[in-house]
Structures are given as C-alpha cells and as structure tokens.
C-alpha cells in the first residue's frame, strides 16, 4: 500500500483518487476550493454532459483535437462505457441524447459529483478542502510530496497532479499545475483558450448581437485556403461570434489564427438551396412583391435582426422597388446570402474558454501509466495535460480516463 496525494478535486482528480483507493492505496485529495467538482457543476449548462457514447474509434478520428494517440491506452483502459457503468453503479443513472451525448437522468450535474464522491468514500479517500497546494517536492530525483500554502509539507509515495487548465478560473482552475511542472523543469506547451468564441473586425457584426442562426454553413479561410467548413448553429455577440460551430472552429484553428493574424469567415445563409433554387426563390419574391421596397421583401428571406445590415452590405438603396432591381442587384443579393463574410481577428480569453489547449507536454508522460518520465512518483491527468477535444462530453471523458489510469498505475 502506498501513500498517495492527489492535487485537485475535479473530474480527473476525483476519478484518480477513486481508482488509487480501489487498488488499496491510502489516498489524500487536496483542493483549494470549498467543495469538490466546482467546474463539474457548470458543465453542460448545469446538466453535465459527462461522456459521449459513440464508438471510441470516432474519438480518435475526429473528436480529440490535440494528441489523440497519447490517449489510446487511457481511453481503451477506462472507456466511455466504463464511465457510464461507474456512474450508474454509484447512484447516477444516465441517458443518451442527440449526438450520443450522455447526461445524468436527473439533468443535475451535482449527481455526477455525488457519484464520484460516493466512489471515493467507498475506498476511503480523505478529502481536504480549502487547502491550496503551492508546490511539488522532489528529492533525489523522486517526487516525494507536496507543499501546502502556508508551508506545511505532506509527504507521499506518489503524487497525482490533476489541477486542470486555466479556463474559467473562478472554478479554481487557475493554471497552478503548469507552474508546478515548470518548477520541476517539465516542458509545458503554449497555452491558449479553446472551445472559445471568436473576436471579429467589422463594425456590422456587433450590430447583429443576439442573433442566433440555425442550419447555416460556416466556412473559414486562411488566405485562399479553406480551413474549416461545417453546418449547424452559431450566434452573434457584441464582440464577434459564438455558438457550437464557432467553438469547435476555435479549437481547431486557434494555432493557425495566432500564426496568420486573421482568418476570413463566410456564412452560407441558405445551404439547403442550390444557386438555381435560390435565384428562383428571389425572382418569385420579386414578382410577388414588385411594388415593395427592397428592405421589406428581403425580410422574407432573412431573420429580422439581419435585414438592416444585409441591406447596407448590398449597397442597394433600401427603398428601391423590387421590380426595379437589376440583374446585377440580384447577383449581389445572391452572393451575400451565400457568402456573408467578415474577418476573425482573435480568440476570446481564458475566462470564457471551455477548455485550455496546450499543457504539460505529453512527451514528458508515459502514456501507459500517466507517470512523468523524468520525475518518478509524479502522475499527471486531466486538462493540465496537453490534450483537448471538441464539445460533446469528450473532455470529461479524457479527464476520467487519464485520471483512472494514473490511479491504477501507482504501485
Ligand atoms: C462552462 C463549461 C462547460 C463545460 N461543459 C462540459 C461538458 O458538458 N462536457 C465535457 O466533457 N466537458 C465540459 N467542460 C470541460 C470540462 O469541464 C473540463 O475539461 C474538465 O472539468 C477538466 O477536468 P480536470 O479534473 O482536469 O480539471 P478541473 O475540473 O479544472 O479541476 C481542477 C481542480 O484542481 C483544483 N486546483 C487547481 N489548482 C490547485 C491548487 N494549487 N491547489 C489545490 N487545488 C487546486 C481546482 O480547484 C479544481 O477543483 C466544460 C467546461 C466549462 C468551463
């Protein structure tokens, strides 16, 4: 039996505590917060989309953004099915929704934390709240414990680092683990906010604030190169764009955006119609509304909030009668319906990011055990690692899988 100290009582730290305890170790978990799983409470809009039921191969094909190969052992060792079984067995029955997203039947994120707590109680994990850790102690090339704020040292045979990323810092995830790793000389890759909204340049975007578009195609270009295109839902805000399509794009393109400085976004407002169908529709509107002003009949093709901006961008006088529109005018309208464009200039900050991209380099970590290669006795799991995924329950699954593996790997 080893004495194990876990830093961080989020998804990864709680699961690691459970699995280490299950293996017969004496586990002490430290968290700076007044309660466990503070971030879990706000996940999935308070419902906690705690995993995704799609086959694991799909995770590796398209859902894990950074370092999927590194996660192979962890995910197959403690899979999505096993997470669902764990939750069910610990008093949190689940349901599978659209897109294979898995939620507690109760729709309460607190039930996920309660299940993890139940698991930890079962195996005798001791939880120390309001206890911020200030560093990791290494002696003679081996990690031997932690230092608490105030200076007290807690010695252990193994330390599990599960401090999360630095997004939504009000939940306690302030990025301390990155500093601890750097103090030990470990490589931490560039950190950037991910699953985060985009900031845009043009003044007309904020005018659309609050407008939510469904069933549109968002395409993003770096120069002339198409770098992202997907169909779904997005939202205009006072600073730019957000919503599911945008968050995913931000995770995939953050690095590129940093390099290129800006990217061009285009929305196809009518992706279900071919050019011919769209032109026919426009001609029909024109013939049925010949006496109406441009801004009145175009409203039939657009969400109300968009009409003024759209009319301005076509540079067609708002009062021009439908019957007076030229072929050139029609072309402009069609073009704008297909390519409503603006410039992406940056990402919003960590405060609004669902996850942190970057972290402790996976080159530092043994993927079969989560132990630090050059710092025996130290195990690392969850978002503090350089791994991240798109939305849909994948990020919590990564935290659970890596946490579980860290816990069972301690000898
Ligand atoms: C708004 C929002 C919604 C989300 N929704 C989902 C979702 O529905 N599905 C999904 O899969 N993912 C979701 N995520 C992402 C997911 O929550 C995280 O990826 C996951 O919680 C990471 O788990 P973790 O245990 O690694 O880190 P965290 O959950 O961040 O936990 C880290 C813990 O370490 C503690 N800690 C940090 N530093 C110290 C220190 N020095 N001393 C002591 N303790 C410390 C913190 O207090 C914290 O409790 C969401 C994220 C956000 C912000």
């Amino acid at each position: 039996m080893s004495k194990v100290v876990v830093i961080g009582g989020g998804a990864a730290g709680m699961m690691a505590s459970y699995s280490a305890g299950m293996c017969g170790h004496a586990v002490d978990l430290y968290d700076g917060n007044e309660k466990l799983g503070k971030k879990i409470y706000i996940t999935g809009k308070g419902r906690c989309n705690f995993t995704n039921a799609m086959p694991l191969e799909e995770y590796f094909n398209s859902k894990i953004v950074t370092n999927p190969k590194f996660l192979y052992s962890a995910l197959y060792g403690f899979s999505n099915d096993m997470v669902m079984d764990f939750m069910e067995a610990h008093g949190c029955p689940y349901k599978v929704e659209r897109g294979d997203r898995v939620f507690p039947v109760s729709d309460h994120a607190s039930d996920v934390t309660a299940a993890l707590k139940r698991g930890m109680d079962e195996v005798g994990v001791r939880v120390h709240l309001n206890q911020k850790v200030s560093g990791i102690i290494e002696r003679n090339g081996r990690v031997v414990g932690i230092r608490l704020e105030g200076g007290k040292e807690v010695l252990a045979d193994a330390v599990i680092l599960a401090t999360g990323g630095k997004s939504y810092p009000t939940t306690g995830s302030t990025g301390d683990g990155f500093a601890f790793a750097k103090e030990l000389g470990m490589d931490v890759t560039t950190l950037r906010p991910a699953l985060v909204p985009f900031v845009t340049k043009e003044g007309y975007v904020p005018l659309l604030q609050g407008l939510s578009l469904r069933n549109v195609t968002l395409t993003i270009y770096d120069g002339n190169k198409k770098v992202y295109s997907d169909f779904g839902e997005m939202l205009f805000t006072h600073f730019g764009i957000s919503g599911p399509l945008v968050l995913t794009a931000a995770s995939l393109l953050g690095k590129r955006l940093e390099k290129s400085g800006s990217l061009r976004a285009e929305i196809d407002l009518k992706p279900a119609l071919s050019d011919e169908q769209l032109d026919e529709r426009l001609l029909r509107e024109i013939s049925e509304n010949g006496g109406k002003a441009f801004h009145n009949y175009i409203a039939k093709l657009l969400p109300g909030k968009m009409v003024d901006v759209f009319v301005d961008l076509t540079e067609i006088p708002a009062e021009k009668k439908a019957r007076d529109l030229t072929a050139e005018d029609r072309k402009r309208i069609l073009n704008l319906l297909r390519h409503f464009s603006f410039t992406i200039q940056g990402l919003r900050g960590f405060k609004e990011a669902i996850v942190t991209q970057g972290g402790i380099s996976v080159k530092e970590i043994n993927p079969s055990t989560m132990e630090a290669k050059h710092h025996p006795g130290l195990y690392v799991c969850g978002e503090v690692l350089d791994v991240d995924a798109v939305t849909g329950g994948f990020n919590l699954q990564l935290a659970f899988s890596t946490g579980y593996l860290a816990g069972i790997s301690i000898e």
Side-chain angles (χ1 to χ4, degrees):
M1 184 178 87
S2 292
K3 180 169 166 35
V4 178
V5 160
V6 179
I7 316 174
M14 284 194 277
M15 189 55 89
S17 300
Y18 164 74
S19 70
M22 191 185 75
C23 294
H25 302 303
V27 184
D28 286 274
L29 184 160
Y30 291 83
D31 198 293
N33 285 335
E34 70 293 354
K35 62 178 177 188
L36 291 167
K38 205 164 176 183
K39 189 171 267 177
I40 290 178
Y41 284 95
I42 58 164
T43 58
K45 298 196 170 105
R47 298 201 300 135
C48 188
N49 173 201
F50 67 81
T51 186
N52 191 290
M54 68 176 46
L56 285 186
E57 300 87 79
E58 293 300 318
Y59 279 53
F60 296 104
N61 286 343
S62 58
K63 302 302 178 188
I64 299 171
V65 178
T66 309
N67 292 316
K69 278 190 194 140
F70 170 79
L71 292 162
Y72 207 79
S73 299
L75 270 169
Y76 278 100
F78 193 61
S79 66
N80 46 0
D81 286 340
M82 291 161 91
V83 168
M84 288 182 255
D85 289 348
F86 172 91
M87 291 300 165
E88 184 119 60
H90 291 88
C92 177
Y94 60 87
K95 56 183 173 179
V96 182
E97 295 192 358
R98 186 174 51 90
D100 294 320
R101 289 160 196 253
V102 183
F103 294 87
V105 163
S106 65
D107 284 330
H108 290 139
S110 53
D111 285 355
V112 170
T113 305
L116 289 159
K117 182 72 176 54
R118 223 166 268 138
M120 291 196 296
D121 288 345
E122 225 173 71
V123 299
V125 174
R126 285 181 299 262
V127 175
H128 309 264
L129 297 173
N130 296 308
Q131 299 268 7
K132 219 164 168 355
V133 174
S134 62
I136 292 172
I137 307 168
E138 190 171 39
R139 284 185 192 137
N140 304 322
R142 195 176 165 86
V143 166
V144 294
I146 58 168
R147 194 169 299 107
L148 298 177
E149 255 183 10
K152 187 181 165 203
E153 291 187 351
V154 181
L155 299 182
D157 303 306
V159 171
I160 300 180
L161 179 62
T163 43
K166 53 183 278 186
S167 52
Y168 273 70
T170 47
T171 60
S173 322
T174 45
D176 291 358
F178 304 125
F180 300 162
K182 280 185 189 162
E183 277 164 21
L184 294 176
M186 295 172 87
D187 180 28
V188 176
T189 63
T190 305
L191 305 175
R192 66 173 68 79
L195 294 178
V196 69
F198 280 133
V199 178
T200 58
K201 179 178 168 194
E202 289 78 3
Y204 53 81
V205 173
L207 298 177
L208 301 171
Q209 175 181 352
L211 171 63
S212 168
L213 297 175
R214 280 163 187 261
N215 305 326
V216 293
T217 300
L218 173 67
T219 306
I220 300 177
Y221 296 87
D222 185 359
N224 289 326
K225 189 173 178 204
K226 190 194 283 190
V227 290
Y228 176 84
S229 188
D230 206 355
F231 172 83
E233 212 176 315
M234 59 174 287
L235 175 76
F236 289 93
T237 68
H238 64 284
F239 54 77
I241 51 171
S242 187
L245 277 177
V246 173
L247 299 185
T248 304
S251 274
L252 299 174
L253 302 177
K255 208 185 235 169
R256 182 182 282 277
L257 178 58
E258 218 168 75
K259 233 190 211 162
S260 300
S262 68
L263 301 171
R264 186 167 53 85
E266 283 190 7
I267 303 171
D268 183 347
L269 294 160
K270 301 285 171 196
L273 300 179
S274 67
D275 285 347
E276 292 71 31
Q277 285 169 324
L278 195 53
D279 198 25
E280 271 168 31
R281 171 90 198 271
L282 202 57
L283 282 168
R284 196 169 69 234
E285 295 295 343
I286 290 172
S287 77
E288 285 171 8
N289 299 284
K292 278 198 183 154
F294 172 44
H295 72 94
N296 281 338
Y297 75 83
I298 200 66
K300 296 193 172 185
L301 285 170
L302 292 171
K305 259 205 165 124
M306 201 172 211
V307 173
D308 288 347
V309 167
F310 190 93
V311 167
D312 269 2
L313 290 175
T314 60
E315 295 178 354
I316 300 169
E319 299 304 326
K320 193 167 183 176
K321 296 276 186 286
R323 69 168 80 89
D324 298 331
L325 285 179
T326 62
E328 179 58 28
D329 290 338
R330 240 177 48 236
K331 211 164 131 194
R332 272 195 204 176
I333 298 168
L334 283 177
N335 190 50
L336 198 56
L337 286 169
R338 277 274 184 263
H339 309 279
F340 187 89
S341 309
F342 45 87
T343 313
I344 295 170
Q345 279 188 314
L347 302 171
R348 290 288 277 184
F350 283 105
K351 270 190 196 161
E352 291 170 56
I354 304 283
V355 291
T356 300
Q357 202 163 68
I360 296 178
S361 169
V362 297
K363 291 190 193 126
E364 297 274 1
I365 309 293
N366 179 345
S368 319
T369 60
M370 296 292 134
E371 190 171 18
K373 286 179 187 166
H374 311 298
H375 306 274
L378 177 66
Y379 295 75
V380 185
C381 56
E383 208 180 306
V384 72
L385 287 166
D386 182 15
V387 297
D388 65 285
V390 297
T391 54
F394 305 101
N395 283 296
L396 280 169
Q397 177 65 47
L398 300 192
F400 292 138
S401 292
T402 53
Y404 186 88
L405 179 55
I408 60 161
S409 300
I410 292 168
E411 285 171 7

